[in-house]
């Protein structure tokens, strides 16, 4: 906790790693904090298997890729080989990356910033937010206990226990398939409960087929449609638990009777979709502006866009944001005016943002 880094980088995707590489090249001290189990976790999670990665560049963009080392090749390669290449590059350059650490907050200190994470605090002069656009939605329940998993790194963790998966889409179904598979391999018949607020589930045909196969091979799955997470409580033994309402019986006397189940939070995985980063900006006190009629061409009316200088600094001093986190547009302050600025969500944009931010930081720190 004594090290004060020049730059703390949140997120190890194309934007974050380009920032890291440029810091490394120019002698700035830095640390990448990535919530996934490996770098480029955002891409690994969202690209379909075998997808080709294109070195797309917007037609009107004047600059080349400013970090050639991390750009996808001109001849498209599969996502698997791009990821492998980047892993080797990061190892070869010995970039300073910590995985499995989730960013939570930033505090201002006398001598800079403190970045608060799930694994402790880090001090830095500047913070770069490069956590992309896919921020998993938090489970909102009343009560003290709230933290549940949002995806599954290791399905075998759920062997031997009754698991609850929340969410009605493909991601939830995929998680269930993986857990059922892990259970099947060791002959574990403990059920996986699948809860969704709506009465019907919404998965594509291919996922449904894979799920059906797991069920026919012995997978023990219990559906809980129309159920609603209610309370996060800490029981007498100090275990965080989630109470989920699975049925309501409305009585003539106005008193509702309901059935509920209570699961230890560590048995719960919530796959309830993702959202843009605006709630994080709000939490950090970073200003954003709502698009009013006629002001924005890309964002819809009412959507809020983060306010940034031309160097990607937010209204919170020393905190920068870049890449997918500010796509497809943001509000740019330039020469006394504020206007919506187009910002396509591409690897090109993420890499080039990093270049401009590191140049700005170098000027400010005199390095
Ligand atoms: C299916 C698909 C196909 C695409 N194909 C192409 C293509 O062919 N060519 C192209 O140029 N672009 C493509 N894109 C877009 C491109 O992937 C994005 O523009 C790019 O990944 C953005 O980079 P980024 O570093 O800003 O964000 P991301 O790549 O999203 O990286 C953000 C990182 O931050 C981490 N993170 C998130 N929250 C936290 C937290 N709280 N704490 C710590 N770490 C956190 C994530 O795990 C992730 O690793 C595609 C996108 C998708 C979804």
């Amino acid at each position: 906790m004594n090290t004060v880094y020049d730059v703390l980088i949140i997120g190890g995707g194309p934007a974050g790693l380009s920032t890291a590489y440029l810091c490394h090249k120019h002698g700035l001290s830095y640390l990448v904090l990535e919530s996934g189990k490996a770098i480029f976790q955002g891409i690994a999670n969202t690209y379909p298997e075998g997808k080709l990665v294109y070195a797309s560049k917007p037609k009107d963009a004047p600059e080349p890729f400013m970090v050639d080392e991390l750009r996808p090749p001109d001849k498209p390669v599969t996502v698997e080989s791009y990821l492998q290449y980047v892993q080797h590059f990061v190892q070869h350059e010995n970039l300073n990356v910590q995985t499995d650490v989730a960013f939570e907050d930033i505090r201002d200190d006398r001598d800079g910033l403190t970045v608060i994470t799930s694994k402790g605090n880090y001090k830095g002069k500047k913070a770069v937010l490069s956590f992309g656009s896919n921020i998993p939605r938090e489970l909102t329940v009343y009560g003290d206990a709230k933290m549940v998993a949002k995806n599954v790194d290791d399905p075998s963790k759920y062997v031997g226990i009754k698991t609850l998966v929340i969410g009605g889409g493909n991601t939830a179904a995929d998680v269930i398939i993986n857990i059922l598979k892990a259970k099947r391999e060791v002959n574990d018949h403990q059920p996986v409960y699948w809860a969704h607020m709506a009465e019907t589930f919404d998965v594509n045909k291919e996922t449904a087929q894979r799920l059906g196969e797991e069920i026919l091979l012995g997978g023990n799955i219990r559906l809980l449609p129309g159920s609603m997470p209610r309370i996060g409580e800490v029981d007498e033994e100090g275990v965080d638990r989630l109470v989920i309402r699975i049925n309501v019986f409305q009585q003539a006397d106005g008193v509702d009777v309901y059935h509920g189940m209570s699961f230890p939070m560590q048995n719960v995985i919530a796959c309830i979709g993702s959202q843009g980063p605006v709630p994080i900006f709000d939490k950090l006190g970073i200003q954003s502006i709502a698009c009013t009629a006629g002001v924005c061409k890309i964002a819809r009316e009412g959507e809020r866009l983060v306010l940034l200088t031309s160097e990607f600094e937010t209204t919170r001093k020393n905190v920068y944001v870049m890449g997918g986190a500010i796509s497809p547009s943001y509000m740019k302050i330039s020469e006394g005016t504020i206007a919506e600025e187009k910002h396509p969500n591409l690897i090109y944009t993420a890499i080039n943002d990093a270049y401009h931010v590191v140049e700005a930081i170098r000027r400010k720190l005199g390095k």
Side-chain angles (χ1 to χ4, degrees), residues 11 13-15 33-35 41-42 47 51 54 103 131-132 324 345-347:
L33 301 164
E34 162 61 50
S35 58
Q41 190 71 53
Y47 286 36
K51 181 197 176 302
Y54 297 93
F103 163 76
F131 42 50
N345 199 350
L346 292 173
I347 296 168

Side-chain angles (χ1 to χ4, degrees), residues 130-141:
S130 46
F131 42 50
S133 55
N134 271 318
I135 309 296
R137 228 178 261 284
E138 296 289 332
L139 193 63
T140 44
V141 288

